[in-house]
Short mmCIF file of all heavy atoms in Angstrom, two decimals:
data_model
loop_
_atom_site.label_atom_id
_atom_site.label_comp_id
_atom_site.label_asym_id
_atom_site.label_seq_id
_atom_site.Cartn_x
_atom_site.Cartn_y
_atom_site.Cartn_z
N ASP J 7 -47.34 -24.64 123.34
CA ASP J 7 -45.91 -24.35 123.19
C ASP J 7 -45.66 -22.96 122.61
O ASP J 7 -44.57 -22.69 122.10
CB ASP J 7 -45.23 -25.39 122.30
CG ASP J 7 -45.34 -26.80 122.87
OD1 ASP J 7 -45.50 -26.91 124.11
OD2 ASP J 7 -45.28 -27.77 122.10
N GLY J 8 -46.67 -22.09 122.63
CA GLY J 8 -46.47 -20.74 122.09
C GLY J 8 -46.34 -20.71 120.58
O GLY J 8 -45.94 -19.67 120.02
N ILE J 9 -46.65 -21.79 119.90
CA ILE J 9 -46.52 -21.86 118.44
C ILE J 9 -47.90 -21.67 117.81
O ILE J 9 -48.91 -22.15 118.32
CB ILE J 9 -45.92 -23.21 118.02
CG1 ILE J 9 -44.53 -23.37 118.63
CG2 ILE J 9 -45.85 -23.33 116.50
CD1 ILE J 9 -43.89 -24.71 118.36
N GLU J 10 -47.94 -20.96 116.69
CA GLU J 10 -49.20 -20.76 115.98
C GLU J 10 -49.80 -22.11 115.62
O GLU J 10 -49.10 -23.00 115.10
CB GLU J 10 -48.98 -19.94 114.71
CG GLU J 10 -48.61 -18.48 114.97
CD GLU J 10 -49.75 -17.74 115.67
OE1 GLU J 10 -50.92 -18.01 115.34
OE2 GLU J 10 -49.46 -16.90 116.54
N PRO J 11 -51.11 -22.31 115.88
CA PRO J 11 -51.71 -23.63 115.66
C PRO J 11 -52.00 -23.95 114.20
O PRO J 11 -52.16 -25.13 113.85
CB PRO J 11 -53.02 -23.54 116.46
CG PRO J 11 -53.37 -22.09 116.46
CD PRO J 11 -52.05 -21.36 116.52
N GLU J 12 -52.08 -22.94 113.33
CA GLU J 12 -52.48 -23.19 111.95
C GLU J 12 -51.58 -24.19 111.23
O GLU J 12 -52.08 -25.12 110.56
CB GLU J 12 -52.56 -21.88 111.15
CG GLU J 12 -53.76 -21.02 111.47
CD GLU J 12 -53.60 -20.24 112.76
OE1 GLU J 12 -52.48 -20.26 113.34
OE2 GLU J 12 -54.57 -19.59 113.20
N PRO J 13 -50.23 -24.06 111.31
CA PRO J 13 -49.39 -25.05 110.62
C PRO J 13 -49.61 -26.47 111.14
O PRO J 13 -49.59 -27.43 110.35
CB PRO J 13 -47.97 -24.56 110.91
CG PRO J 13 -48.11 -23.10 111.17
CD PRO J 13 -49.42 -22.96 111.88
N ARG J 14 -49.83 -26.62 112.45
CA ARG J 14 -50.05 -27.94 113.01
C ARG J 14 -51.42 -28.48 112.59
O ARG J 14 -51.57 -29.69 112.37
CB ARG J 14 -49.93 -27.91 114.52
CG ARG J 14 -48.51 -27.64 114.99
CD ARG J 14 -48.38 -27.65 116.51
NE ARG J 14 -46.99 -27.51 116.92
CZ ARG J 14 -46.58 -27.50 118.18
NH1 ARG J 14 -47.46 -27.60 119.17
NH2 ARG J 14 -45.29 -27.37 118.46
N TYR J 15 -52.40 -27.58 112.48
CA TYR J 15 -53.71 -28.00 112.00
C TYR J 15 -53.60 -28.49 110.55
O TYR J 15 -54.20 -29.51 110.17
CB TYR J 15 -54.71 -26.86 112.09
CG TYR J 15 -56.05 -27.17 111.46
CD1 TYR J 15 -57.00 -27.94 112.13
CD2 TYR J 15 -56.34 -26.71 110.18
CE1 TYR J 15 -58.22 -28.24 111.55
CE2 TYR J 15 -57.57 -27.01 109.58
CZ TYR J 15 -58.50 -27.77 110.27
OH TYR J 15 -59.70 -28.08 109.68
N ASP J 16 -52.86 -27.75 109.73
CA ASP J 16 -52.68 -28.15 108.33
C ASP J 16 -51.98 -29.51 108.25
O ASP J 16 -52.33 -30.34 107.40
CB ASP J 16 -51.87 -27.10 107.58
CG ASP J 16 -52.65 -25.78 107.43
OD1 ASP J 16 -53.89 -25.81 107.53
OD2 ASP J 16 -51.99 -24.74 107.21
N ALA J 17 -51.00 -29.73 109.11
CA ALA J 17 -50.29 -31.01 109.12
C ALA J 17 -51.24 -32.15 109.51
O ALA J 17 -51.19 -33.24 108.94
CB ALA J 17 -49.11 -30.96 110.09
N LEU J 18 -52.11 -31.89 110.48
CA LEU J 18 -53.10 -32.89 110.88
C LEU J 18 -54.06 -33.17 109.74
O LEU J 18 -54.41 -34.34 109.50
CB LEU J 18 -53.86 -32.40 112.11
CG LEU J 18 -55.02 -33.28 112.58
CD1 LEU J 18 -54.54 -34.68 112.94
CD2 LEU J 18 -55.73 -32.63 113.77
N ASN J 19 -54.48 -32.15 109.04
CA ASN J 19 -55.39 -32.33 107.92
C ASN J 19 -54.76 -33.19 106.84
O ASN J 19 -55.40 -34.09 106.27
CB ASN J 19 -55.78 -30.97 107.34
CG ASN J 19 -57.24 -30.89 106.97
OD1 ASN J 19 -57.90 -31.91 106.82
ND2 ASN J 19 -57.76 -29.68 106.82
N ARG J 20 -53.49 -32.93 106.53
CA ARG J 20 -52.80 -33.73 105.51
C ARG J 20 -52.65 -35.18 105.96
O ARG J 20 -52.82 -36.11 105.16
CB ARG J 20 -51.43 -33.11 105.21
CG ARG J 20 -51.49 -31.79 104.45
CD ARG J 20 -50.11 -31.39 103.95
NE ARG J 20 -49.16 -31.20 105.03
CZ ARG J 20 -48.96 -30.04 105.66
NH1 ARG J 20 -49.67 -28.97 105.31
NH2 ARG J 20 -48.07 -29.93 106.62
N ALA J 21 -52.31 -35.36 107.22
CA ALA J 21 -52.16 -36.71 107.76
C ALA J 21 -53.49 -37.46 107.70
O ALA J 21 -53.53 -38.65 107.39
CB ALA J 21 -51.63 -36.66 109.19
N PHE J 22 -54.58 -36.77 108.02
CA PHE J 22 -55.90 -37.39 107.95
C PHE J 22 -56.24 -37.81 106.52
O PHE J 22 -56.76 -38.91 106.28
CB PHE J 22 -56.96 -36.44 108.49
CG PHE J 22 -58.37 -36.94 108.27
CD1 PHE J 22 -58.91 -37.92 109.09
CD2 PHE J 22 -59.13 -36.44 107.21
CE1 PHE J 22 -60.20 -38.39 108.88
CE2 PHE J 22 -60.42 -36.91 107.00
CZ PHE J 22 -60.96 -37.88 107.83
N ASP J 23 -55.98 -36.92 105.56
CA ASP J 23 -56.27 -37.25 104.16
C ASP J 23 -55.51 -38.49 103.72
O ASP J 23 -56.04 -39.35 103.01
CB ASP J 23 -55.92 -36.06 103.26
CG ASP J 23 -56.89 -34.90 103.43
OD1 ASP J 23 -58.00 -35.13 103.94
OD2 ASP J 23 -56.54 -33.77 103.04
N GLU J 24 -54.24 -38.59 104.14
CA GLU J 24 -53.45 -39.77 103.78
C GLU J 24 -53.99 -41.01 104.48
O GLU J 24 -54.04 -42.10 103.88
CB GLU J 24 -51.99 -39.54 104.16
CG GLU J 24 -51.07 -40.68 103.73
CD GLU J 24 -51.06 -40.92 102.24
OE1 GLU J 24 -51.27 -39.96 101.47
OE2 GLU J 24 -50.86 -42.08 101.84
N SER J 25 -54.42 -40.87 105.73
CA SER J 25 -55.04 -42.00 106.43
C SER J 25 -56.30 -42.46 105.72
O SER J 25 -56.58 -43.66 105.62
CB SER J 25 -55.38 -41.61 107.88
OG SER J 25 -54.21 -41.40 108.64
N GLN J 26 -57.07 -41.52 105.22
CA GLN J 26 -58.30 -41.85 104.51
C GLN J 26 -58.00 -42.63 103.24
O GLN J 26 -58.69 -43.61 102.91
CB GLN J 26 -59.06 -40.57 104.17
CG GLN J 26 -60.43 -40.79 103.54
CD GLN J 26 -61.40 -41.49 104.48
OE1 GLN J 26 -61.36 -41.27 105.68
NE2 GLN J 26 -62.25 -42.33 103.93
N ARG J 27 -56.96 -42.23 102.52
CA ARG J 27 -56.58 -42.97 101.30
C ARG J 27 -56.14 -44.39 101.63
O ARG J 27 -56.51 -45.34 100.92
CB ARG J 27 -55.46 -42.21 100.57
CG ARG J 27 -55.93 -41.00 99.81
CD ARG J 27 -54.85 -40.45 98.90
NE ARG J 27 -53.78 -39.83 99.67
CZ ARG J 27 -53.77 -38.54 100.00
NH1 ARG J 27 -54.77 -37.76 99.66
NH2 ARG J 27 -52.76 -38.02 100.68
N ARG J 28 -55.40 -44.54 102.69
CA ARG J 28 -54.94 -45.88 103.06
C ARG J 28 -56.09 -46.72 103.62
O ARG J 28 -56.09 -47.94 103.44
CB ARG J 28 -53.79 -45.78 104.06
CG ARG J 28 -52.58 -45.06 103.46
CD ARG J 28 -51.35 -45.12 104.31
NE ARG J 28 -50.31 -44.27 103.76
CZ ARG J 28 -49.05 -44.25 104.19
NH1 ARG J 28 -48.68 -45.03 105.20
NH2 ARG J 28 -48.16 -43.44 103.64
N LYS J 29 -57.04 -46.08 104.28
CA LYS J 29 -58.23 -46.79 104.73
C LYS J 29 -59.00 -47.34 103.54
O LYS J 29 -59.51 -48.47 103.57
CB LYS J 29 -59.13 -45.86 105.54
CG LYS J 29 -60.47 -46.48 105.92
CD LYS J 29 -61.41 -45.46 106.51
CE LYS J 29 -62.77 -46.07 106.84
NZ LYS J 29 -63.47 -46.59 105.66
N GLU J 30 -59.14 -46.54 102.50
CA GLU J 30 -59.87 -46.99 101.31
C GLU J 30 -59.18 -48.19 100.66
O GLU J 30 -59.85 -49.12 100.20
CB GLU J 30 -60.00 -45.83 100.32
CG GLU J 30 -60.93 -44.72 100.82
CD GLU J 30 -60.86 -43.47 99.98
OE1 GLU J 30 -60.03 -43.44 99.03
OE2 GLU J 30 -61.60 -42.51 100.27
N ALA J 31 -57.85 -48.17 100.63
CA ALA J 31 -57.12 -49.32 100.09
C ALA J 31 -57.35 -50.56 100.94
O ALA J 31 -57.56 -51.67 100.42
CB ALA J 31 -55.63 -49.00 100.01
N PHE J 32 -57.33 -50.38 102.25
CA PHE J 32 -57.60 -51.49 103.18
C PHE J 32 -59.00 -52.05 102.96
O PHE J 32 -59.20 -53.27 102.88
CB PHE J 32 -57.44 -50.99 104.61
CG PHE J 32 -57.78 -51.99 105.68
CD1 PHE J 32 -56.86 -52.95 106.06
CD2 PHE J 32 -59.02 -51.96 106.31
CE1 PHE J 32 -57.17 -53.87 107.06
CE2 PHE J 32 -59.33 -52.87 107.30
CZ PHE J 32 -58.41 -53.83 107.67
N SER J 33 -59.99 -51.18 102.83
CA SER J 33 -61.38 -51.61 102.67
C SER J 33 -61.58 -52.36 101.35
O SER J 33 -62.41 -53.28 101.28
CB SER J 33 -62.32 -50.40 102.74
OG SER J 33 -62.29 -49.81 104.03
N ARG J 34 -60.84 -51.98 100.32
CA ARG J 34 -60.97 -52.70 99.04
C ARG J 34 -60.56 -54.16 99.19
O ARG J 34 -61.21 -55.06 98.63
CB ARG J 34 -60.12 -52.01 97.96
CG ARG J 34 -60.75 -50.73 97.42
CD ARG J 34 -60.08 -50.29 96.14
NE ARG J 34 -58.70 -49.88 96.35
CZ ARG J 34 -58.33 -48.65 96.66
NH1 ARG J 34 -59.25 -47.70 96.82
NH2 ARG J 34 -57.05 -48.33 96.82
N TYR J 35 -59.51 -54.42 99.96
CA TYR J 35 -59.09 -55.81 100.18
C TYR J 35 -60.08 -56.54 101.09
O TYR J 35 -60.36 -57.72 100.88
CB TYR J 35 -57.69 -55.85 100.77
CG TYR J 35 -56.61 -55.68 99.74
CD1 TYR J 35 -55.95 -54.46 99.57
CD2 TYR J 35 -56.25 -56.73 98.90
CE1 TYR J 35 -54.97 -54.30 98.61
CE2 TYR J 35 -55.27 -56.57 97.93
CZ TYR J 35 -54.64 -55.35 97.78
OH TYR J 35 -53.68 -55.19 96.82
N ILE J 36 -60.62 -55.85 102.08
CA ILE J 36 -61.60 -56.47 102.96
C ILE J 36 -62.83 -56.89 102.17
O ILE J 36 -63.49 -57.89 102.49
CB ILE J 36 -61.99 -55.51 104.10
CG1 ILE J 36 -60.78 -55.22 105.00
CG2 ILE J 36 -63.13 -56.06 104.93
CD1 ILE J 36 -60.18 -56.44 105.65
N GLU J 37 -63.14 -56.14 101.13
CA GLU J 37 -64.28 -56.48 100.28
C GLU J 37 -63.93 -57.58 99.27
O GLU J 37 -64.79 -58.43 98.96
CB GLU J 37 -64.74 -55.22 99.53
CG GLU J 37 -65.94 -55.45 98.62
CD GLU J 37 -66.37 -54.19 97.89
OE1 GLU J 37 -65.82 -53.11 98.19
OE2 GLU J 37 -67.26 -54.29 97.03
N ALA J 38 -62.70 -57.59 98.78
CA ALA J 38 -62.33 -58.52 97.71
C ALA J 38 -61.98 -59.92 98.22
O ALA J 38 -62.29 -60.92 97.55
CB ALA J 38 -61.15 -57.96 96.91
N ILE J 39 -61.35 -60.01 99.37
CA ILE J 39 -60.87 -61.31 99.85
C ILE J 39 -61.99 -62.31 100.07
O ILE J 39 -61.84 -63.49 99.69
CB ILE J 39 -60.01 -61.12 101.11
CG1 ILE J 39 -58.67 -60.49 100.73
CG2 ILE J 39 -59.78 -62.44 101.83
CD1 ILE J 39 -57.78 -60.12 101.90
N PRO J 40 -63.15 -61.94 100.64
CA PRO J 40 -64.21 -62.95 100.79
C PRO J 40 -64.63 -63.58 99.46
O PRO J 40 -64.93 -64.78 99.41
CB PRO J 40 -65.36 -62.14 101.42
CG PRO J 40 -64.67 -61.07 102.19
CD PRO J 40 -63.50 -60.68 101.33
N ARG J 41 -64.67 -62.78 98.40
CA ARG J 41 -65.02 -63.35 97.10
C ARG J 41 -63.97 -64.35 96.64
O ARG J 41 -64.30 -65.40 96.07
CB ARG J 41 -65.18 -62.23 96.06
CG ARG J 41 -66.35 -61.28 96.34
CD ARG J 41 -66.67 -60.45 95.10
NE ARG J 41 -65.56 -59.58 94.74
CZ ARG J 41 -65.43 -58.32 95.16
NH1 ARG J 41 -66.34 -57.81 95.99
NH2 ARG J 41 -64.41 -57.59 94.78
N SER J 42 -62.70 -64.03 96.89
CA SER J 42 -61.62 -64.94 96.49
C SER J 42 -61.67 -66.23 97.30
O SER J 42 -61.41 -67.31 96.76
CB SER J 42 -60.26 -64.26 96.68
OG SER J 42 -60.12 -63.15 95.82
N VAL J 43 -62.00 -66.13 98.58
CA VAL J 43 -62.11 -67.33 99.41
C VAL J 43 -63.26 -68.20 98.93
O VAL J 43 -63.13 -69.42 98.83
CB VAL J 43 -62.29 -66.95 100.90
CG1 VAL J 43 -62.59 -68.19 101.73
CG2 VAL J 43 -61.03 -66.26 101.42
N ASP J 44 -64.39 -67.59 98.61
CA ASP J 44 -65.53 -68.36 98.09
C ASP J 44 -65.15 -69.09 96.81
O ASP J 44 -65.50 -70.27 96.63
CB ASP J 44 -66.72 -67.43 97.83
CG ASP J 44 -67.37 -66.94 99.11
OD1 ASP J 44 -67.13 -67.55 100.17
OD2 ASP J 44 -68.11 -65.94 99.05
N THR J 45 -64.44 -68.40 95.92
CA THR J 45 -64.01 -69.02 94.67
C THR J 45 -63.06 -70.18 94.93
O THR J 45 -63.15 -71.24 94.30
CB THR J 45 -63.32 -67.98 93.77
OG1 THR J 45 -64.24 -66.92 93.49
CG2 THR J 45 -62.88 -68.60 92.45
N MET J 46 -62.14 -70.00 95.88
CA MET J 46 -61.20 -71.06 96.23
C MET J 46 -61.93 -72.28 96.76
O MET J 46 -61.65 -73.42 96.36
CB MET J 46 -60.21 -70.56 97.28
CG MET J 46 -59.22 -71.62 97.75
SD MET J 46 -58.40 -71.18 99.32
CE MET J 46 -59.76 -71.38 100.49
N LEU J 47 -62.88 -72.08 97.66
CA LEU J 47 -63.61 -73.19 98.25
C LEU J 47 -64.47 -73.92 97.21
O LEU J 47 -64.58 -75.15 97.24
CB LEU J 47 -64.47 -72.69 99.40
CG LEU J 47 -63.71 -72.19 100.64
CD1 LEU J 47 -64.67 -71.56 101.64
CD2 LEU J 47 -62.92 -73.31 101.29
N GLU J 48 -65.05 -73.16 96.29
CA GLU J 48 -65.84 -73.79 95.23
C GLU J 48 -64.96 -74.66 94.33
O GLU J 48 -65.35 -75.77 93.94
CB GLU J 48 -66.53 -72.71 94.40
CG GLU J 48 -67.66 -72.00 95.13
CD GLU J 48 -68.20 -70.81 94.36
OE1 GLU J 48 -67.71 -70.57 93.23
OE2 GLU J 48 -69.11 -70.12 94.88
#
């Protein structure tokens, strides 16, 4: 589109960093829930 790519690259980088933070939050629950289910069943 004739626009300098650097600002869009920076925006992508920021979006990726935020995705990474939310992925880590998701993974913490994926790790914690099995332990809670085991405790419930016991």
Side-chain angles (χ1 to χ4, degrees):
D7 300 335
I9 299 176
E10 290 296 322
E12 285 79 7
R14 292 182 175 181
Y15 173 80
D16 292 339
L18 174 60
N19 221 341
R20 290 191 299 271
F22 172 79
D23 289 341
E24 184 60 30
S25 292
Q26 186 64 35
R27 283 191 289 270
R28 298 189 187 189
K29 173 190 178 298
E30 291 169 357
F32 176 82
S33 295
R34 284 195 294 270
Y35 280 101
I36 296 301
E37 180 180 354
I39 288 174
R41 295 195 296 267
S42 295
V43 172
D44 288 343
T45 301
M46 177 197 72
L47 292 173
E48 289 172 2

